[in-house]
Amino acid sequence: MSKQFLQIHPEDNVLAALTDISKGSEIIHNNDRFQLTVNVKAKHKFTTANLNVGDSIIMYGSLVGKATKTIAKGETITTENVVHASSEYAVGQEKLSWTAPDVSKWKDITFNGYHRADGSVGTANHWLVIPLVFCENRNVDVMKSALLKSLGYHTTTDFVVDTEVLVNQYKNGASDDELLSSDIIKTPEDIKQNRTFPNVDGIKFLNHDGGCGGIRQDSETLCNLLAGYITHPNTAGATILSLGCQNAQYKLLEAAIAKLDPNFNKPLHILEQQKSSSERQFIEEAVKKTFVGLIEANKTERKPAPLTKLVLGLECGGSDGFSGISANPSLGYASDLLVALGATTVLSEFPELNGVEQELINRCETEENATKFAKLMRAYSDKAVSVGSGFENNPSPGNIKDGLITDAMKSAGAAKKGGTSPVTDVLDYTEPVRKKGLNLLCTPGNDVESTTGLAGSGCNVICFTTGLGTPTGNPIAPVIKLSSNNTLSNRMKDIIDFNTGTVITGEDTIETKGEELLEYIIKVASGEVIPAAVRLGQEDFIPWKRGISL
């Protein structure tokens, strides 16, 4: 550890502890010497000046809080002496200039993906089985049990005990010695090599609790989201189970698909249970049509594609006090590299952009986008306040314990995932990505609702930063999990794919980690590396009903 603390921005009046620092330790900063008045844990922040009640707390160069008590120089800021505060914002401010990073070393690099008729390229090739209403979830589960193991997709554990080998040998008259010497342990790689459809990466089942009840807009939003998954470049085709009487009628889904892709030509099988003669016949038909669809999906193979076809989702969850210093800015630099290469990146979680609105408004290429972003943020904030829960209630107990004590502080660090490039488009929930460059997508801060929305808008890879650890994944978009610190990377090796903790300890810079991350993203997009969330079957899917979710 080369440094004990860090000033993130020249205007900050707090320092971030990079390691535990004892009370009484001398701090030398900007030709000033003072002592810590308390023990400061790693990831937490301490002041560089005496603060009075009402004084501003500045971090990342942004207002992140106000002092509620007198805070001595060298004292830790906590929820007991600081309250959330954020700056006002307005459209029409001076635009920020941007100097793109040098990307010449990647100009001829490609990834191997699945090319679709609409010109998009998938990083995976999945078949979807989707209930239009929660009443069909049980039938979807029956299909899941019928298809996954028999077709070679039951690989979410480190190994599988294949007793069918013993059964077949026994039926063929094998001796006890032959049975005892049989190899019945299959690894995920063994199973994958024996898949019936080797070019189909998975059959994904999108169970949910919507489609009926609630308000009509919930079903319309659900159909828009499902259409995004069906037209997604990582999707080869889909089987849809409809009950028949629900709000989310299949005509709504078909209209949503046509809106996204007027020339849609993927295999799509829609079955309605209330028109079938029996549940048995209904499921039998669904399984048969899915099998026929898989035959067609298996005809598509990976082929080289330019990096411009990458659409990277930028996500965080289980954040800590290091997330905004290591993982998020490293991901932000990778985002800048991709934007400079002509690709697309998408920053979501609007409750976690509170306090940095002005910076993002200033980065919008058009006044129309700036106005749309401001309108969406204000509407979201006002709705939260109307039910007694503003953005200030966003930080979780884990966030606070690990140094993120206000929403504005959390947001200032979270926004670093978006790098520094201009904002080319602003999207409401379920709106598809249409423009290259950095997009802003309105989703909740809820990890799963947000990743669900990112994939629904077209992200074919998602990078997910975390400081505390989380098993969140997505059914169709591979999710790369980034650790903000070495301790987490070592403790949760089974779910962490990429460690940026070496930025904290000084072995790496944000730039070197960002470049390394881009190389890793390309390997994942090509199917050369399988992220932990995919390997472990972490396929979370929660549609947002547009209610208040922070």
Side-chain angles (χ1 to χ4, degrees), residues 307-322:
L307 297 184
T308 57
K309 297 297 183 179
L310 288 178
V311 184
L312 180 68
L314 311 170
E315 180 67 28
C316 63
S319 299
D320 71 345
F322 285 163

Side-chain angles (χ1 to χ4, degrees), residues 205-267:
F205 302 83
L206 306 187
N207 288 27
H208 57 82
D209 64 357
C212 205
I215 59 176
R216 292 296 188 270
Q217 288 87 343
D218 288 342
S219 293
E220 292 172 4
T221 300
L222 175 65
C223 286
N224 290 337
L225 178 70
L226 295 178
Y229 273 68
I230 293 166
T231 58
H232 194 282
N234 290 4
T235 297
T239 302
I240 311 298
L241 300 189
S242 170
L243 179 59
C245 58
Q246 72 277 354
N247 289 338
Q249 290 288 305
Y250 72 87
K251 292 295 183 182
L252 279 177
L253 178 63
E254 289 179 332
I257 291 172
K259 185 177 180 180
L260 291 178
D261 184 2
N263 300 312
F264 179 79
N265 65 348
K266 294 179 182 178

Side-chain angles (χ1 to χ4, degrees), residues 1-7 17-19 504-506:
M1 177 70 69
S2 59
K3 295 177 65 176
Q4 286 188 304
F5 58 86
L6 173 70
Q7 184 179 31
L18 301 181
T19 185
I504 300 297
T505 52

Side-chain angles (χ1 to χ4, degrees), residues 43 118 171 177 198 214 248:
K43 307 180 184 180
D118 65 357
K171 289 180 177 179
D177 288 341

Side-chain angles (χ1 to χ4, degrees), residues 37 62 147 180 188 203 247 303-304 316 331 340 360 438 474 494 517:
T37 62
S62 299
L147 291 167
L180 290 172
I203 310 170
N247 289 338
K303 296 179 181 179
C316 63
L331 177 54
L360 292 169
L438 175 63
N474 182 263
D494 57 333
L517 177 57

